[in-house]
Amino acid sequence: MKKAAAEVGIQPSRVHPHAFRHTYGRHCILQGVPVNVLQKWLGHSSLAMTMQYVYLAGEHHSYVDRI
């Protein structure tokens, strides 16, 4: 992952495997998966934690998408 990040100009220190989980959650929200359903899929105990993905879905220039 670090090598791929470097090749596309992303700081390798910003890349980690957990980023794929964030990408998955973000794409689920963009595809219309209800937040409470995503909460269960991701195993979050609070809806507030899942709501972070709603925020991430609003960002159009995610570094994860460029990998």
Side-chain angles (χ1 to χ4, degrees), residues 35-56:
V35 177
N36 63 322
V37 172
L38 184 59
Q39 175 187 5
K40 290 178 183 178
W41 288 354
L42 295 176
H44 292 154
S45 59
S46 73
L47 190 59
M49 178 66 86
T50 310
M51 290 300 292
Q52 293 179 40
Y53 295 96
V54 174
Y55 169 75
L56 287 173

Side-chain angles (χ1 to χ4, degrees), residues 17-48:
H18 200 75
F20 291 111
R21 179 178 169 92
H22 294 293
T23 300
Y24 173 75
R26 180 174 165 245
H27 284 283
C28 285
I29 293 295
L30 290 171
Q31 293 299 313
V33 174
V35 177
N36 63 322
V37 172
L38 184 59
Q39 175 187 5
K40 290 178 183 178
W41 288 354
L42 295 176
H44 292 154
S45 59
S46 73
L47 190 59

Side-chain angles (χ1 to χ4, degrees), residues 4-11 66:
E7 288 178 7
V8 295
I10 298 171
Q11 293 177 333
R66 294 188 302 181

